């Protein structure tokens, strides 16, 4: 479903979205960006209906600039999109995320912040694997820098996974509304994704000259589980929360194990 985008009083925000084969979710993402002055979509070779959906939004008046670009990695692609933004504020949003009504309503206040405030950390929640509903709002949401003044933030292009905006100055938490992460993947797909991330994380550590740690291999996975299940309060989500926390622990274990495996493979003659 598309929104009506014609808006002479659009907010001075450029939303940046990188995508490839995101037909299942990009429509909801773009619909939640109605009222913004610009939407920069950078596609790295979609072969499904992603581009058709983007084109439909553009035909309905969405201020979309579509750029086709080969995939250079997460951080570099997001930095490219950030550099393409033209508005005073930039919202970096993934194709499987969307802004709820409360956060959308709060955007005018956020972009009217005093000049010394360079960015906002948005509260993000998610859908658990295979579940059609978001998690309990009593769980602890992530606070992620996503809305920044143009020219005051950057991505670390040396990172190949878990990239995030770096702001050289003051940021605050936007307490109203949520950025929703609505991709509840089946568990087998999610585990394949976690393994891919673990491999990238291990390779990133090796590129930075880091050695594997026996202590991290032993302690990090259970600590990861405890942080998600108790500190982030996913015990409120029942068995789905338990599986989510245990999957996080599996990701941590695979990261430490692959780091160790790759490190000693390189040392062999």
């Amino acid at each position: 479903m598309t929104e009506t985008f014609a808006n002479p009083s659009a907010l001075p925000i450029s939303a940046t979205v990188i995508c490839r084969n995101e037909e299942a979710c990009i429509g909801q993402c773009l619909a939640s960006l109605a009222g913004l002055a610009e939407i920069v979509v950078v596609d790295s070779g979609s072969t499904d209906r992603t581009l058709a959906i983007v084109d439909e939004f553009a035909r309905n008046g969405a201020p979309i600039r579509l750029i086709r670009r080969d995939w250079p990695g997460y951080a570099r692609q997001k930095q490219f999109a950030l550099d393409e933004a033209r508005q005073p504020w930039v919202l970096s949003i993934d194709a499987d995320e969307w802004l709820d009504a409360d956060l959308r309503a709060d955007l005018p206040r956020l972009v009217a912040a005093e000049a010394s405030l360079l960015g906002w950390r948005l509260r993000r929640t998610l859908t658990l694997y295979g579940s059609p509903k978001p998690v309990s709002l009593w769980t602890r949401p992530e606070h992620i820098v996503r809305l920044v003044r143009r020219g005051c933030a950057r991505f670390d292009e040396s990172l190949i996974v878990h990239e995030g905006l770096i702001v050289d100055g003051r940021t605050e938490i936007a307490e109203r509304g949520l950025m929703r992460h609505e991709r509840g993947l089946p568990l087998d797909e999610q585990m394949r994704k976690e393994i891919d991330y673990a491999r990238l994380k291990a390779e990133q550590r090796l590129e930075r000259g880091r050695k594997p740690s026996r202590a991290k291999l032993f302690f990090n996975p259970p600590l990861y589980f405890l942080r998600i299940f108790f500190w982030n309060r996913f015990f409120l989500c029942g068995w789905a929360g338990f599986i989510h926390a245990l999957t996080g622990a599996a990701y941590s274990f695979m990261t430490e194990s692959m780091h160790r495996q790759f490190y000693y493979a390189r040392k062999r003659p």
Side-chain angles (χ1 to χ4, degrees):
M1 182 180 71
T2 59
E3 295 272 350
T4 300
F5 279 81
N7 185 355
S9 59
L11 292 171
I13 301 174
S14 294
T16 61
V17 186
I18 67 169
C19 61
R20 183 177 184 274
N21 292 340
E22 299 286 1
E23 64 178 3
C25 51
I26 197 168
Q28 189 169 31
C29 173
L30 296 177
S32 77
L33 303 177
L36 306 191
E38 181 183 45
I39 303 171
V40 178
V41 178
V42 181
D43 183 83
S44 56
S46 290
T47 56
D48 63 0
R49 293 191 63 256
T50 297
L51 294 179
I53 294 169
V54 173
D55 288 342
E56 181 183 357
F57 273 87
R59 289 195 302 271
N60 281 276
I64 289 175
R65 280 199 296 126
L66 174 62
I67 303 171
R68 293 174 173 86
R69 185 173 188 258
D70 290 340
W71 179 249
Y74 289 104
R76 291 179 180 176
Q77 194 80 322
K78 288 187 176 183
Q79 182 63 47
F80 174 83
L82 183 67
D83 291 338
E84 287 291 319
R86 297 170 178 170
Q87 293 296 313
W89 287 86
V90 185
L91 170 69
S92 178
I93 184 169
D94 292 343
D96 57 359
E97 297 172 336
W98 57 280
L99 310 183
D100 73 4
D102 290 335
L103 181 51
R104 289 172 61 181
D106 199 35
L107 288 177
R109 181 185 69 87
L110 301 183
V111 299
E114 60 187 37
S116 63
L117 182 67
L118 302 186
W120 289 98
R121 284 171 282 159
L122 305 185
R123 300 163 67 241
R124 190 181 84 149
T125 188
L126 70 156
T127 299
L128 297 181
Y129 314 136
S131 172
K133 298 180 181 180
V135 299
S136 166
L137 294 182
W138 289 102
T139 58
R140 192 184 302 276
E142 299 173 281
H143 297 153
I144 308 178
V145 177
R146 291 297 187 86
L147 182 62
V148 296
R149 292 187 190 272
R150 183 166 60 92
C152 297
R154 69 189 187 282
F155 289 95
D156 182 348
E157 295 187 48
S158 69
L159 297 179
I160 58 177
V161 70
H162 298 317
E163 71 295 332
L165 279 167
I166 302 168
V167 181
D168 297 321
R170 183 164 68 94
T171 65
E172 291 187 3
I173 297 172
E175 296 287 357
R176 303 177 195 169
L178 293 165
M179 173 181 282
R180 295 286 182 90
H181 182 225
E182 293 294 293
R183 175 171 288 179
L185 294 175
L187 192 56
D188 58 337
E189 292 184 31
Q190 182 63 34
M191 287 307 300
R192 284 193 290 270
K193 186 176 179 180
E194 299 288 3
I195 290 171
D196 287 341
Y197 282 160
R199 175 180 55 79
L200 292 172
K201 183 72 173 290
E203 291 174 351
Q204 181 172 287
R205 288 180 177 179
L206 289 177
E207 288 183 5
R208 296 188 165 193
R210 294 177 58 184
K211 296 181 180 180
S213 164
R214 293 178 182 175
K216 287 184 177 180
L217 178 62
F218 186 80
F219 288 110
N220 275 13
L223 289 175
Y224 208 105
F225 173 86
L226 294 172
R227 177 170 60 85
I228 294 174
F229 196 61
F230 292 106
W231 175 250
N232 291 345
R233 299 194 287 260
F234 275 87
F235 63 84
L236 297 171
C237 301
W239 284 107
F242 177 82
I243 292 171
H244 172 63
L246 200 57
T247 302
Y251 158 75
S252 176
F253 175 74
M254 291 303 299
T255 299
E256 303 303 333
S257 299
M258 287 184 180
H259 185 190
R260 188 176 185 84
Q261 174 188 334
F262 297 162
Y263 177 80
Y264 286 107
R266 289 188 179 187
K267 291 190 62 143
R268 294 193 191 105

